[in-house]
Coordinates of all heavy atoms in Angstrom, one line a residue:
V191 N -20.0 59.3 14.6 CA -21.4 59.6 14.3 C -21.7 61.2 14.5 O -22.2 61.8 13.5 CB -22.4 58.9 15.3 CG1 -23.8 59.3 15.1 CG2 -22.3 57.4 15.2
A192 N -21.1 61.7 15.6 CA -21.3 63.1 15.7 C -20.0 63.9 15.3 O -20.1 65.2 15.3 CB -21.6 63.4 17.2
D193 N -18.9 63.2 15.0 CA -17.7 63.8 14.7 C -17.2 64.8 15.7 O -16.8 66.0 15.5 CB -17.7 64.6 13.3 CG -17.9 63.6 12.1 OD1 -17.3 62.4 12.3 OD2 -18.5 63.9 11.1
T194 N -17.2 64.3 17.0 CA -16.7 65.0 18.1 C -15.7 64.2 18.9 O -15.7 63.0 18.8 CB -17.9 65.4 19.0 OG1 -18.6 64.2 19.4 CG2 -18.9 66.3 18.4
V195 N -14.8 64.9 19.6 CA -13.8 64.2 20.4 C -14.4 63.7 21.6 O -15.0 64.4 22.4 CB -12.7 65.2 20.7 CG1 -11.6 64.5 21.5 CG2 -12.1 65.8 19.4
L196 N -14.2 62.4 21.9 CA -14.8 61.7 23.1 C -13.7 61.8 24.2 O -14.1 61.9 25.4 CB -15.1 60.2 22.8 CG -16.2 60.0 21.9 CD1 -16.3 58.5 21.6 CD2 -17.5 60.5 22.5
G197 N -12.4 61.8 23.9 CA -11.5 61.8 25.0 C -10.0 61.5 24.5 O -9.8 61.4 23.3
R198 N -9.1 61.3 25.5 CA -7.8 61.0 25.2 C -7.3 59.8 25.9 O -7.8 59.6 27.1 CB -6.8 62.2 25.4 CG -7.2 63.5 24.8 CD -6.2 64.6 25.2 NE -6.5 65.9 24.7 CZ -5.8 67.0 24.7 NH1 -4.5 66.8 25.2 NH2 -6.2 68.1 24.2
I199 N -6.5 59.0 25.4 CA -5.9 57.9 26.1 C -4.4 58.1 26.2 O -3.7 58.3 25.1 CB -6.2 56.6 25.4 CG1 -7.7 56.4 25.2 CG2 -5.7 55.4 26.2 CD1 -8.1 55.2 24.4
R200 N -3.8 58.0 27.4 CA -2.4 58.1 27.6 C -1.7 56.8 27.3 O -2.1 55.8 27.9 CB -2.0 58.6 28.9 CG -2.6 60.0 29.2 CD -2.0 61.1 28.4 NE -0.5 61.3 28.6 CZ 0.2 62.0 27.9 NH1 -0.3 62.8 26.9 NH2 1.5 62.2 28.1
V201 N -0.7 56.8 26.4 CA 0.0 55.6 26.1 C 1.5 55.8 26.3 O 1.8 56.8 27.1 CB -0.2 55.1 24.6 CG1 -1.7 54.7 24.5 CG2 0.1 56.2 23.7
R202 N 2.4 55.1 25.8 CA 3.8 55.3 25.8 C 4.3 56.3 24.7 O 3.5 56.6 23.8 CB 4.6 54.0 25.7 CG 4.4 53.1 27.0 CD 5.1 53.7 28.2 NE 5.2 52.8 29.3 CZ 5.9 52.9 30.3 NH1 6.8 54.0 30.4 NH2 5.9 52.1 31.4
P203 N 5.5 56.9 24.9 CA 6.0 57.9 24.0 C 6.0 57.4 22.5 O 6.2 56.3 22.2 CB 7.4 58.2 24.4 CG 7.3 57.8 25.9 CD 6.5 56.6 26.0
N204 N 5.6 58.4 21.7 CA 5.7 58.3 20.1 C 4.8 57.1 19.7 O 5.3 56.2 19.0 CB 7.1 58.0 19.7 CG 7.4 58.3 18.3 OD1 6.4 58.8 17.6 ND2 8.6 58.1 17.8
P205 N 3.5 57.2 19.9 CA 2.6 56.1 19.3 C 2.6 56.2 17.8 O 2.5 57.3 17.2 CB 1.2 56.5 20.0 CG 1.3 57.9 20.3 CD 2.8 58.2 20.7
Q206 N 2.6 55.0 17.2 CA 2.6 55.0 15.7 C 1.5 54.1 15.2 O 0.4 54.5 15.2 CB 4.0 54.5 15.2 CG 5.2 55.4 15.6 CD 5.3 56.5 14.6 OE1 4.9 56.5 13.5 NE2 5.8 57.6 15.2
G207 N 1.8 52.9 14.8 CA 0.8 51.9 14.3 C -0.3 51.6 15.3 O 0.0 51.3 16.5
I208 N -1.5 51.4 14.9 CA -2.6 50.9 15.7 C -3.2 49.7 15.0 O -3.7 49.8 13.9 CB -3.7 52.0 15.9 CG1 -3.1 53.3 16.5 CG2 -4.8 51.5 16.8 CD1 -4.1 54.4 16.6
T209 N -3.2 48.5 15.6 CA -3.5 47.3 15.0 C -4.4 46.4 15.9 O -4.1 46.3 17.1 CB -2.3 46.5 14.6 OG1 -1.4 47.3 13.8 CG2 -2.7 45.1 13.9
P210 N -5.5 45.9 15.4 CA -6.4 45.0 16.3 C -5.8 43.6 16.4 O -5.2 43.1 15.5 CB -7.7 45.0 15.6 CG -7.4 45.2 14.1 CD -6.1 46.1 14.1
D211 N -6.0 43.1 17.6 CA -5.6 41.6 17.8 C -6.8 40.7 17.6 O -7.9 41.2 17.2 CB -4.9 41.4 19.1 CG -5.8 41.6 20.3 OD1 -7.0 41.6 20.2 OD2 -5.3 41.6 21.5
R212 N -6.6 39.5 17.8 CA -7.7 38.5 17.6 C -8.7 38.5 18.6 O -9.7 37.8 18.6 CB -7.1 37.1 17.4 CG -6.1 36.9 16.3 CD -6.8 37.0 14.9 NE -5.9 37.1 13.8 CZ -6.3 36.9 12.5 NH1 -7.5 36.6 12.3 NH2 -5.4 37.0 11.6
L213 N -8.5 39.3 19.7 CA -9.4 39.4 20.8 C -10.2 40.7 20.7 O -11.0 41.0 21.6 CB -8.7 39.3 22.2 CG -7.9 38.1 22.4 CD1 -7.2 38.2 23.8 CD2 -8.8 36.8 22.4
G214 N -10.0 41.4 19.6 CA -10.7 42.7 19.4 C -10.0 43.9 20.1 O -10.6 45.0 20.1
R215 N -8.9 43.8 20.7 CA -8.2 44.8 21.4 C -7.3 45.5 20.4 O -6.8 45.0 19.5 CB -7.4 44.3 22.6 CG -8.3 43.5 23.6 CD -7.4 42.9 24.8 NE -6.3 42.1 24.3 CZ -5.4 41.6 25.1 NH1 -5.6 41.7 26.4 NH2 -4.4 40.9 24.7
L216 N -6.9 46.8 20.7 CA -6.1 47.6 19.9 C -4.7 47.6 20.5 O -4.5 48.0 21.7 CB -6.6 49.0 19.8 CG -8.0 49.2 19.1 CD1 -8.3 50.7 19.0 CD2 -7.9 48.6 17.7
H217 N -3.7 47.3 19.6 CA -2.3 47.3 20.0 C -1.6 48.6 19.4 O -1.6 48.7 18.2 CB -1.6 46.1 19.5 CG -2.0 44.8 20.3 ND1 -1.1 44.0 20.9 CD2 -3.2 44.3 20.5 CE1 -1.7 43.0 21.5 NE2 -3.0 43.2 21.3
V218 N -1.2 49.5 20.3 CA -0.6 50.7 19.8 C 0.9 50.5 20.0 O 1.4 50.4 21.0 CB -1.1 51.9 20.7 CG1 -0.5 53.2 20.1 CG2 -2.6 52.0 20.7
V219 N 1.6 50.6 18.8 CA 3.1 50.4 18.8 C 3.6 51.8 19.1 O 3.5 52.8 18.3 CB 3.6 50.0 17.5 CG1 5.1 49.8 17.5 CG2 2.9 48.6 17.2
C220 N 4.4 51.9 20.3 CA 5.0 53.2 20.7 C 6.5 53.1 20.4 O 7.2 52.3 21.1 CB 4.7 53.4 22.1 SG 2.9 53.4 22.5
T221 N 7.0 53.9 19.5 CA 8.3 53.7 19.0 C 9.4 54.1 20.0 O 10.5 53.6 20.0 CB 8.5 54.5 17.7 OG1 7.5 54.1 16.8 CG2 9.8 54.3 17.1
G222 N 9.1 55.1 20.9 CA 10.1 55.7 21.7 C 10.9 56.7 21.0 O 10.7 56.9 19.7
F223 N 11.8 57.4 21.6 CA 12.6 58.5 20.9 C 14.0 58.2 21.0 O 14.6 57.9 22.0 CB 12.2 59.8 21.6 CG 10.9 60.3 21.2 CD1 9.8 59.9 22.0 CD2 10.6 61.1 20.1 CE1 8.5 60.3 21.7 CE2 9.3 61.5 19.8 CZ 8.3 61.1 20.6
F224 N 14.6 58.2 19.8 CA 16.1 58.0 19.7 C 16.9 59.1 20.4 O 16.6 60.3 20.3 CB 16.5 58.0 18.2 CG 15.9 57.0 17.4 CD1 14.8 57.3 16.6 CD2 16.4 55.7 17.3 CE1 14.1 56.3 15.8 CE2 15.8 54.7 16.5 CZ 14.7 55.0 15.8
G225 N 17.8 58.7 21.2 CA 18.6 59.6 22.0 C 18.0 60.2 23.2 O 18.6 60.9 23.9
A226 N 16.8 59.8 23.5 CA 16.1 60.4 24.7 C 16.5 59.5 25.9 O 17.1 58.4 25.7 CB 14.6 60.3 24.6
R227 N 16.3 60.0 27.0 CA 16.6 59.3 28.3 C 15.6 58.2 28.5 O 14.5 58.3 28.1 CB 16.6 60.2 29.5 CG 17.7 61.3 29.5 CD 17.6 62.1 30.8 NE 18.7 63.0 30.9 CZ 18.9 63.9 31.8 NH1 18.1 63.9 32.9 NH2 19.9 64.8 31.8
S228 N 16.2 57.0 29.0 CA 15.3 55.9 29.3 C 14.2 56.4 30.3 O 14.5 57.2 31.2 CB 16.1 54.7 29.9 OG 15.3 53.7 30.1
P229 N 12.9 56.0 30.2 CA 12.4 54.9 29.3 C 11.8 55.5 28.0 O 11.4 54.7 27.2 CB 11.3 54.3 30.1 CG 10.7 55.4 30.9 CD 11.9 56.3 31.2
D230 N 12.0 56.8 27.8 CA 11.4 57.4 26.5 C 12.1 56.9 25.3 O 11.5 57.0 24.2 CB 11.5 58.9 26.6 CG 10.5 59.5 27.5 OD1 9.6 58.8 28.0 OD2 10.6 60.7 27.8
S231 N 13.3 56.3 25.4 CA 14.0 55.8 24.2 C 13.6 54.4 23.9 O 14.0 53.9 22.8 CB 15.5 55.8 24.5 OG 15.9 55.0 25.5
L232 N 12.8 53.7 24.7 CA 12.5 52.3 24.5 C 11.2 52.1 23.8 O 10.3 53.0 23.9 CB 12.4 51.6 25.9 CG 13.7 51.6 26.7 CD1 13.4 51.0 28.1 CD2 14.8 50.9 26.0
G233 N 11.1 51.1 23.1 CA 9.8 50.7 22.4 C 8.8 49.9 23.3 O 9.3 49.1 24.1
F234 N 7.6 50.3 23.2 CA 6.5 49.6 24.0 C 5.3 49.3 23.1 O 5.2 49.9 22.0 CB 6.0 50.6 25.1 CG 7.0 50.7 26.3 CD1 8.0 51.6 26.3 CD2 6.7 49.9 27.5 CE1 8.9 51.7 27.3 CE2 7.6 50.0 28.5 CZ 8.6 50.9 28.5
V235 N 4.5 48.4 23.6 CA 3.2 48.1 23.0 C 2.2 48.4 24.1 O 2.2 47.8 25.2 CB 3.0 46.7 22.5 CG1 1.6 46.4 22.0 CG2 4.0 46.4 21.3
T236 N 1.2 49.3 23.8 CA 0.2 49.5 24.8 C -1.1 49.0 24.2 O -1.4 49.2 23.0 CB 0.0 51.1 25.0 OG1 1.2 51.6 25.6 CG2 -1.2 51.4 25.9
V237 N -1.9 48.3 25.0 CA -3.1 47.6 24.5 C -4.3 48.3 25.1 O -4.4 48.6 26.3 CB -3.1 46.1 24.9 CG1 -4.4 45.4 24.4 CG2 -1.9 45.4 24.4
I238 N -5.3 48.7 24.2 CA -6.5 49.4 24.6 C -7.7 48.5 24.4 O -7.8 47.8 23.3 CB -6.6 50.7 23.8 CG1 -5.4 51.6 24.1 CG2 -8.0 51.4 24.1 CD1 -5.3 52.8 23.2
N239 N -8.6 48.5 25.3 CA -9.9 47.8 25.1 C -10.9 48.8 24.6 O -11.3 49.8 25.2 CB -10.4 47.3 26.5 CG -11.7 46.6 26.3 OD1 -12.3 46.5 25.2 ND2 -12.3 46.1 27.5
P240 N -11.3 48.7 23.3 CA -12.2 49.7 22.7 C -13.6 49.8 23.3 O -14.3 50.7 23.0 CB -12.2 49.3 21.2 CG -11.8 47.9 21.2 CD -10.9 47.7 22.3
A241 N -14.0 48.7 24.1 CA -15.2 48.7 24.7 C -15.4 49.9 25.7 O -16.5 50.4 25.9 CB -15.5 47.4 25.3
N242 N -14.3 50.2 26.5 CA -14.3 51.2 27.5 C -13.2 52.2 27.3 O -13.0 53.0 28.2 CB -14.4 50.6 28.9 CG -13.2 49.7 29.1 OD1 -12.2 49.7 28.4 ND2 -13.3 48.8 30.1
D243 N -12.3 52.0 26.3 CA -11.2 52.9 26.0 C -10.2 53.0 27.2 O -9.6 54.0 27.5 CB -11.7 54.3 25.7 CG -12.4 54.3 24.3 OD1 -12.1 53.4 23.5 OD2 -13.2 55.1 24.1
Q244 N -10.1 51.8 27.9 CA -9.1 51.7 29.0 C -7.9 50.9 28.5 O -8.0 50.0 27.7 CB -9.8 51.0 30.2 CG -10.9 51.7 30.8 CD -10.5 53.0 31.4 OE1 -9.6 53.2 32.2 NE2 -11.3 54.1 31.0
V245 N -6.7 51.4 29.0 CA -5.5 50.6 28.8 C -5.5 49.4 29.6 O -5.7 49.5 30.9 CB -4.3 51.5 29.1 CG1 -3.0 50.7 29.1 CG2 -4.2 52.7 28.2
V246 N -5.4 48.2 29.0 CA -5.4 47.0 29.7 C -4.1 46.3 29.8 O -4.0 45.2 30.5 CB -6.4 46.0 29.1 CG1 -7.9 46.6 29.1 CG2 -6.0 45.7 27.6
G247 N -3.0 46.9 29.3 CA -1.7 46.3 29.4 C -0.7 47.0 28.6 O -1.0 47.7 27.7
T248 N 0.6 47.0 29.1 CA 1.6 47.5 28.4 C 2.8 46.6 28.4 O 3.1 46.0 29.5 CB 2.1 48.9 29.0 OG1 1.0 49.8 29.0 CG2 3.3 49.5 28.4
L249 N 3.5 46.4 27.3 CA 4.7 45.5 27.2 C 5.9 46.3 26.7 O 5.8 46.9 25.6 CB 4.3 44.4 26.3 CG 5.4 43.3 26.0 CD1 5.8 42.6 27.3 CD2 5.0 42.4 24.9
A250 N 7.0 46.2 27.4 CA 8.3 46.7 26.9 C 8.9 45.8 25.9 O 9.0 44.6 26.2 CB 9.3 46.9 28.1
V251 N 9.1 46.3 24.7 CA 9.6 45.4 23.6 C 11.0 45.8 23.1 O 11.6 45.1 22.3 CB 8.6 45.4 22.4 CG1 7.3 44.8 22.8 CG2 8.4 46.8 21.9
G252 N 11.5 46.9 23.7 CA 12.9 47.4 23.2 C 12.9 47.8 21.8 O 11.9 47.8 21.1
G253 N 14.1 48.3 21.4 CA 14.3 48.7 20.0 C 13.4 49.9 19.8 O 12.9 50.7 20.7
N254 N 13.1 50.2 18.6 CA 12.2 51.3 18.1 C 11.3 50.8 17.1 O 11.3 51.3 15.9 CB 13.1 52.5 17.6 CG 13.9 53.1 18.7 OD1 15.2 52.8 18.7 ND2 13.4 53.8 19.7
P255 N 10.3 49.9 17.4 CA 9.4 49.4 16.3 C 8.4 50.5 16.0 O 8.1 51.5 16.7 CB 8.7 48.3 17.0 CG 8.7 48.7 18.5 CD 10.0 49.4 18.7
S256 N 7.9 50.4 14.7 CA 6.9 51.4 14.2 C 5.6 50.7 13.9 O 4.6 51.4 13.7 CB 7.4 52.1 13.0 OG 7.7 51.2 12.0
S257 N 5.5 49.4 13.7 CA 4.3 48.7 13.3 C 4.3 47.3 13.8 O 5.4 46.8 14.3 CB 4.2 48.7 11.8 OG 5.2 48.0 11.2
V258 N 3.2 46.6 13.7 CA 3.1 45.3 14.2 C 2.1 44.5 13.2 O 1.2 45.0 12.8 CB 2.6 45.1 15.6 CG1 1.2 45.6 15.8 CG2 2.7 43.7 16.2
V259 N 2.5 43.2 13.0 CA 1.6 42.3 12.3 C 1.1 41.3 13.3 O 2.0 40.7 14.0 CB 2.3 41.6 11.1 CG1 1.4 40.6 10.5 CG2 2.8 42.6 10.1
I260 N -0.2 41.0 13.4 CA -0.7 40.0 14.4 C -1.3 38.9 13.6 O -2.2 39.1 12.9 CB -1.7 40.6 15.3 CG1 -1.0 41.8 16.2 CG2 -2.3 39.6 16.3 CD1 -2.0 42.5 17.2
N261 N -0.6 37.7 13.7 CA -1.0 36.6 12.9 C -2.2 35.9 13.5 O -2.8 36.2 14.5 CB 0.2 35.6 12.7 CG 0.6 34.9 13.9 OD1 -0.2 34.8 14.9 ND2 1.8 34.4 13.9
S262 N -2.6 34.7 12.8 CA -3.8 34.1 13.2 C -3.8 33.3 14.5 O -4.8 33.0 15.1 CB -4.2 33.0 12.1 OG -3.2 32.1 11.9
E263 N -2.5 33.2 15.0 CA -2.4 32.6 16.4 C -2.2 33.6 17.5 O -1.8 33.4 18.5 CB -1.1 31.7 16.4 CG -1.3 30.6 15.4 CD 0.1 29.7 15.2 OE1 1.1 30.3 15.4 OE2 0.0 28.6 14.8
N264 N -2.5 34.9 17.1 CA -2.5 36.0 18.0 C -1.1 36.3 18.5 O -0.8 36.6 19.7 CB -3.4 35.9 19.2 CG -4.1 37.3 19.5 OD1 -4.2 38.1 18.7 ND2 -4.4 37.4 20.8
V265 N -0.1 36.1 17.6 CA 1.3 36.4 17.9 C 1.6 37.8 17.2 O 1.4 37.9 16.0 CB 2.3 35.4 17.4 CG1 3.7 35.8 17.5 CG2 2.0 34.1 18.2
G266 N 2.1 38.7 18.0 CA 2.5 40.0 17.4 C 3.9 39.9 16.9 O 4.9 39.4 17.5
I267 N 4.1 40.4 15.6 CA 5.4 40.5 15.0 C 5.8 41.9 14.7 O 5.2 42.5 13.8 CB 5.4 39.6 13.7 CG1 4.9 38.2 14.0 CG2 6.9 39.6 13.1 CD1 4.7 37.4 12.7
L268 N 6.7 42.5 15.5 CA 7.0 43.9 15.3 C 8.0 44.1 14.2 O 8.7 43.2 13.7 CB 7.6 44.4 16.6 CG 6.7 44.5 17.8 CD1 7.4 44.5 19.1 CD2 5.7 45.6 17.7

Side-chain angles (χ1 to χ4, degrees):
V191 177
D193 289 330
T194 55
V195 177
L196 294 174
R198 308 182 185 189
I199 304 172
R200 298 295 295 175
V201 294
R202 288 290 186 164
N204 199 1
Q206 297 281 333
I208 304 175
T209 304
D211 67 12
R212 298 291 170 165
L213 303 177
R215 306 178 304 179
L216 296 180
H217 289 234
V218 183
V219 179
C220 303
T221 304
F223 288 87
F224 299 95
R227 293 182 178 181
S228 183
D230 286 350
S231 62
L232 301 176
F234 284 83
V235 173
T236 298
V237 181
I238 297 171
N239 180 358
N242 55 17
D243 292 334
Q244 297 296 309
V245 173
V246 295
T248 299
L249 176 67
V251 294
N254 299 104
S256 59
S257 62
V258 64
V259 177
I260 298 180
N261 69 20
S262 60
E263 297 172 337
N264 217 30
V265 172
I267 306 171
L268 293 161

